[in-house]
Structures are given as structure tokens and as C-alpha cells.
Amino acid sequence: MHGEYKVPGGKLVVVDLEVRGGRIADFHLAGDFFLEPDDALADIDAAVNGLPDTADTTAIAAAVRAALPEGATLLGFTPEAVGTAVRRALIVAPGWKDFDWEVVHDKPVSPRLNLALDEVLTTRVGDGRRNPTLRMWEWDESAVVIGSFQSLRNEVDPEGARAHGFDVVRRISGGGAMMMGANSIVTYSLYVPASLVAGMTFADSYAFLDDWVLQALRSLGIDAEYQPLNDITGPSGKIGGAAQKRLANGGVLHHATLSYDLDGQVMTEVLRIGREKLSDKGTVSAAKRVDPLRSQTGLPREAIIERFIDTFTNLYGATAGHITDEEYAEAEELVRTKFATDAWLHRVP
């Protein structure tokens, strides 16, 4: 059995193993990581050999950590990464390049239709009716998008939202509220089969699915990092945040919103958000404009989106695609029956 795991921001971890009598056997670790001392590699192999084939990532990592000699240095990987690679080998998890990817960057649509498309396209990927897809959002009006489990009245100031022209909508994924001004942010969605993140913890899958965008940001001169659970950050603070939804049919939605140009004062008038939380997100002053992508790159929003698409395409061999008329029609019906209804918006009062 063979398994691979590319550590987000780190190195490739490769494992080969067999299973005999319910135990891991003939285990060998390899990769482009750094490890000192050299003979610690044999210690890791010995620690994993003999473990039950049902051992989870945490148990494998604990065995590896306990076997390391005092003072051992691991660069570019962790014991948890070894555990993830082992689990992926045991369940024969595919990698990014095992799929035929599409990249979609279509016409602007309403925030509600964007949210409905997320559900439709995730479902279709889970059903096998669409290739795994990266979609860059475009929208024709501003909106506050609240998480699936957030309280509407606790998160949004309705008078402030109306005054500044923000619609209020609810998405199917969890996480916090996002103020999505037209042309002020960059948002993308990934629609992937669950097998791509098989063997990973929920937390690890966030960083794994956003590793490509960190590479894109770094190519633009931004020293971007991932801060668990779901924040993309830079030297000046938060750049964006991600959220996920996993469907019963095996489709996984992973989407992220990154700030291009955001007025912090308007944020405090539209969202019920305290100064303490703002400072935690990199906005020291409520009136400060949050524009990491614009100020740190000096590029128009369109050029940043183009770099994102080029990076993803070059990494994973993606081809340009489009949303079909049938998919649009299905999403429009879902807007009518779900995303535009008071029942959905007020599901958590």
C-alpha cells in the first residue's frame, strides 16, 4: 500500500506498507523532508511497524513521537503528517493529480445564486456528475453572508445593512459572517470528492485544500500562512477565512473569502462585531480599511484572480470550464425554494 501527504507549507511525506494479521508491516517512510539524526528514520519505521491497521492519525503520531531520539529535528513534516500519510495509504486515498480538474470563472450572479451554486455543484461532484471544480465567484450586489449556524440577530445590524446596501443571506457551511462588498473581496469555492481528504483530520483538510492559494499569494509577494482552524493570514493580520460543508453523498464544499479592499468602519456598522474581535482579525482600528490584497500587491482585483487561476491550473493540470444551463436552472430553483426564503435566513433567529 502506498500513501502520500503534502504538508501544507511543508514537504511531501510518502509511506509504503503492508497489512498482515490486522497489523502494519514492512513500513517505510520517505519524502523530501529533513530529519536529524539520520538514523531517526529507522526509529520512525520501527514505531509504525506492528501498529494495528485501525490506528488513527493521533495514535500513529504518538507512537512516532515516542520513538524519536532526544533532540531529533523534523523539518517540513511532523509525526501527525506521518499518521495522515499512513491513513491515506490504508484507505487508498487519491491525490490532487488523480482527478480531472475544471476551473470556472463565469458571469456575475446574485449572492443567493452563488450560494445555491455551491450546493448544486457540490452535490454533482459527490454524485459523479461533474469533475472536481474550482470556481471563482463574481456577484452583482453586496451582501453579508452569515454561517449556517449563526444567529441572524446577533450577527447583523439590519439598519446598518440597509443603509450601506448590503443584502443578508445564509450559506450552507459553518463559520463566521463575511461582509462581501462588490469588487471588494476575492471568493472561491472548491467542489471535491471526499476521497481527496480521506485520512485527514477535519482541521488538516482546511490547510490541505488551501495550500495552493498560499502558493499563489506568495508568488504575489505576500508572506501568507495558514492559521488553524480556518484563517489565511499575513504579516499585517488576517487576509481571509475558509469554511466547509460535507454532504452525505461524498461531495465536499470548501470555500474561502479573502479581503481585497474593505472599509472597517462600514464593517462595524453592518456587523454586530466588537473591537476585541476586530483586533484579533488584524483590524486595530474600527475605521481602518482592510485591504491586504490591494495594498500588499498593488494589483487590481482581476489580476489577483488571474494569478489564482494560473497557479491552480499549473499545479493540478486543470482546464477551463463553465457552469451549464442545467446547473444554473437547478440553482435558481434552489434560490426560490431555499436561499431566498425567510425560513432559511431565520433558521437560527
Side-chain angles (χ1 to χ4, degrees):
M1 298 177 181
H2 180 84
E4 298 185 1
Y5 175 56
K6 170 65 169 60
V7 179
K11 298 297 185 178
L12 181 67
V13 177
V14 181
V15 301
D16 291 283
L17 58 91
E18 300 294 336
V19 174
R20 299 193 189 99
R23 298 275 173 175
I24 296 173
D26 296 337
F27 175 83
H28 296 285
L29 173 67
D32 59 356
F33 49 77
F34 300 93
L35 175 64
E36 294 290 346
D38 284 353
D39 54 11
L41 185 65
D43 294 328
I44 294 174
D45 288 350
V48 177
N49 272 312
L51 290 177
D53 64 357
T54 55
D56 61 14
T57 298
T58 300
I60 297 167
V64 169
R65 187 170 282 109
L68 290 171
E70 184 177 355
T73 300
L74 287 65
L75 295 177
F77 79 117
T78 63
E80 285 74 19
V82 176
T84 298
V86 170
R87 291 311 312 167
R88 288 174 64 76
L90 289 167
I91 58 181
V92 196
W96 287 94
K97 293 183 179 180
D98 292 320
F99 297 100
D100 294 323
W101 290 93
E102 291 185 18
V103 177
V104 171
H105 187 203
D106 280 353
K107 64 184 180 181
V109 297
S110 71
R112 287 188 177 92
L113 189 55
N114 269 309
L115 296 174
L117 283 168
D118 269 358
E119 184 167 338
V120 167
L121 300 181
T122 305
T123 300
R124 285 175 172 252
V125 169
D127 289 342
R129 292 181 288 154
R130 164 174 273 279
N131 287 333
T133 300
L134 166 68
R135 179 172 73 94
M136 306 301 304
W137 287 33
E138 295 292 352
W139 57 100
D140 52 14
E141 60 185 277
S142 297
V144 174
V145 181
I146 63 175
S148 179
F149 311 109
Q150 287 190 295
S151 163
L152 176 62
R153 64 170 172 253
N154 288 344
E155 296 298 328
V156 182
D157 183 323
E159 293 184 3
R162 283 193 297 270
H164 291 287
F166 281 81
D167 192 12
V168 182
V169 295
R170 185 185 294 275
R171 63 180 183 267
I172 62 173
S173 63
M178 301 298 297
M179 200 173 81
M180 302 176 64
N183 298 315
S184 294
I185 59 171
V186 175
T187 297
Y188 60 85
S189 293
L190 278 168
Y191 314 107
V192 307
S195 59
L196 179 62
V197 293
M200 297 182 197
T201 65
F202 196 81
D204 285 345
S205 73
Y206 271 82
F208 178 78
L209 291 174
D210 278 334
D211 187 54
W212 68 273
V213 84
L214 296 186
Q215 296 183 55
L217 290 170
R218 290 166 186 160
S219 76
L220 292 168
I222 298 178
D223 187 16
E225 296 182 347
Y226 213 84
Q227 181 175 313
L229 169 69
N230 62 334
D231 284 352
I232 298 169
T233 66
S236 299
K238 182 174 176 178
I239 297 172
Q244 285 187 14
K245 176 67 176 180
R246 303 190 178 202
L247 304 185
N249 73 344
V252 176
L253 164 65
H254 178 95
H255 48 195
T257 294
L258 287 72
S259 175
Y260 176 74
D261 181 12
L262 183 64
D263 191 320
Q265 180 61 45
V266 172
M267 183 189 299
T268 65
E269 296 173 8
V270 172
L271 301 181
R272 300 189 189 279
I273 182 171
R275 191 173 295 254
E276 180 180 353
K277 185 172 182 180
L278 278 174
S279 65
D280 179 57
K281 300 305 182 184
T283 309
V284 177
S285 167
K288 181 180 178 181
R289 183 170 292 275
V290 184
D291 60 349
L293 294 184
R294 187 178 72 164
S295 64
Q296 294 185 47
T297 66
L299 295 173
R301 177 177 171 273
E302 294 75 15
I304 292 171
I305 292 174
E306 183 178 353
R307 179 62 62 87
F308 280 18
I309 291 173
D310 288 346
T311 299
F312 190 90
T313 299
N314 291 334
L315 283 171
Y316 307 130
T319 58
H322 295 282
I323 299 168
T324 68
D325 291 342
E326 183 182 10
E327 289 167 339
Y328 275 123
E330 187 177 344
E332 287 166 354
E333 178 63 12
L334 199 56
V335 168
R336 186 187 70 81
T337 60
K338 180 176 181 177
F339 289 98
T341 66
D342 285 341
W344 173 251
L345 180 61
H346 294 273
R347 69 185 294 257
V348 182

